[in-house]
Amino acid sequence: MVGWLAEYLSGFGNEFSSEDPRCPGALPKGQNSPQVCPYGLYAEQLSGSAFTCPRPTNKRSWFYRILPSVRHKPYTTVDNGNLTETWDEMHPDPNQLRWLPFTILKSSEKKVDFVTGLHTICGAGDTKTRNGISIHMFTCNTSMIDRYVLTFYHLRLFLSVPQQGKILVTTEFGKMMVEPKEICVIQQGMRFSVDVFGDTRGYVLEVYGAHFELPDLGPIGANGLANPRDFLTPVAWYEDREVANGYTVINKYQGKLFSSQQDFSPFNVVAWHGNYTPYKYHLSNFMVMNCVAFDHADPSIFTVLTAKSTRPGVAIADFVIFPPRWGVADHTFRPPYYHRNCMSEFMGLIEGHYEAKEEGFQPGGGSLHSMMTPHGPDGACFEKNSTAPLKPERVAEGTMAFMFESSFSMAVTKWGLETCQKLDKSYYKCWEPLRKHFDPNWRPSKQ
């Protein structure tokens, strides 16, 4: 981390430019690809969209680097570990599924870095047609250092949600320190590595088919939810060094992992400009909207980012959070309602206790409610909130839960159902205490 300070550029989807301060004037003046670049650098473009996309959706950045990324040895296949896109290895399971916190191996038992610590839980679709998603857990205890650099060739984006332990993400654009309750997004083709500082765990969403956007606000107006100014992009930082055994660059291509060797650092970008960048966001900056009269609003009001499908209003994936907020609704059952959804809902818990299930759903675990699978508050939550005094109260204080919601029907992997040994097979029992309250003799009171 020599020469690096935690500095960022503010904004979402902006046209940014950045130079490492050690090389002032590294960005060419007035053009992208001069005959000779300043400092003897190479110009290289990273395209995140087709050249002919409309200007509002056209994404690209220009790098000015010490050596171009094309100089590497041929790629060879490597073991995928528990990272998979084989969605038919297990029989479909329509049940409500919940996982206990996933185990983090101690470094004294086995050294596990970010790459080897990725485990696919569920997903759908296909990277070849670039239409689908996958959801992973990462559990690791060791930094990637020089051995690995990771890049994803087919996904549109890679959203990481650390739950335990901060991570230092080094990219070609610069570095980002990402702590629990922050998220970071690495977009298609961007090379990165992950340093950790002890036992580390978190969640990952891969989206194959679309870039994340901020959700439209409609009648909310110009301000609210995740504000663009709170998204942070790293500033340029480079290293010019070689290591004895070279760098191993891992890429994920058509669902498989490949590696190649090169003798120079992939993070040798001295300056860059463009609108196609990695970024991070702190969830505490989310401007919460909530019901102030009656009823429970739909969770779409908590959407941080959305990856839209070609169908209006239908997302390939939404990233939704359930942050601390006020509950003030009158004559209302305030927790989430019972629900059967045409979307799939994967939930994770970063900290605290989720309001609809205060027991059983734990930080570092997860749940999957597949499309049209019934779900909702457990028995204890229903009884408590059916009789609770309806006074203004803080909801989810000290808690941060989130949801990856998708229009895809998710297949669960063998690792998710069996190998991890964290599936809570008693999950269904949390609804068994629900009892019948029906009274055929009830009549409306006369006003």
Side-chain angles (χ1 to χ4, degrees), residues 119-140:
H119 310 276
T120 307
I121 300 174
C122 58
D126 175 40
T127 52
K128 295 174 186 170
T129 57
R130 296 170 70 177
N131 187 34
I133 69 168
S134 54
I135 295 172
H136 319 282
M137 288 297 299
F138 68 87
T139 56
C140 51

Side-chain angles (χ1 to χ4, degrees), residues 36 73 91 114 116 124 130 169 185 215 217 267 278 303 332 351 369:
V36 179
K73 302 298 184 185
H91 195 74
F114 183 82
T116 53
R130 296 170 70 177
V169 182
V185 172
L217 295 180
F267 306 122
T303 302
T332 293
E351 65 176 10
H369 299 141

Side-chain angles (χ1 to χ4, degrees), residues 121-190:
I121 300 174
C122 58
D126 175 40
T127 52
K128 295 174 186 170
T129 57
R130 296 170 70 177
N131 187 34
I133 69 168
S134 54
I135 295 172
H136 319 282
M137 288 297 299
F138 68 87
T139 56
C140 51
N141 54 42
T142 301
S143 297
M144 291 168 65
I145 314 177
D146 299 324
R147 195 169 73 88
Y148 285 130
V149 178
L150 189 60
T151 181
F152 288 74
Y153 276 20
H154 285 80
L155 64 87
R156 279 295 194 181
L157 53 90
F158 180 96
L159 184 149
S160 178
V161 186
Q163 182 271 321
Q164 178 178 319
K166 62 185 178 181
I167 59 175
L168 177 64
V169 182
T170 302
T171 76
E172 294 165 286
F173 295 80
K175 293 173 177 278
M176 298 183 291
M177 187 69 77
V178 186
E179 302 184 359
K181 292 197 290 186
E182 289 186 306
I183 61 170
C184 73
V185 172
I186 309 294
Q187 306 201 65
Q188 181 186 7
M190 297 178 181

Side-chain angles (χ1 to χ4, degrees), residues 263-274:
D263 58 9
F264 61 94
S265 171
F267 306 122
N268 65 353
V269 176
V270 177
W272 61 267
H273 74 84

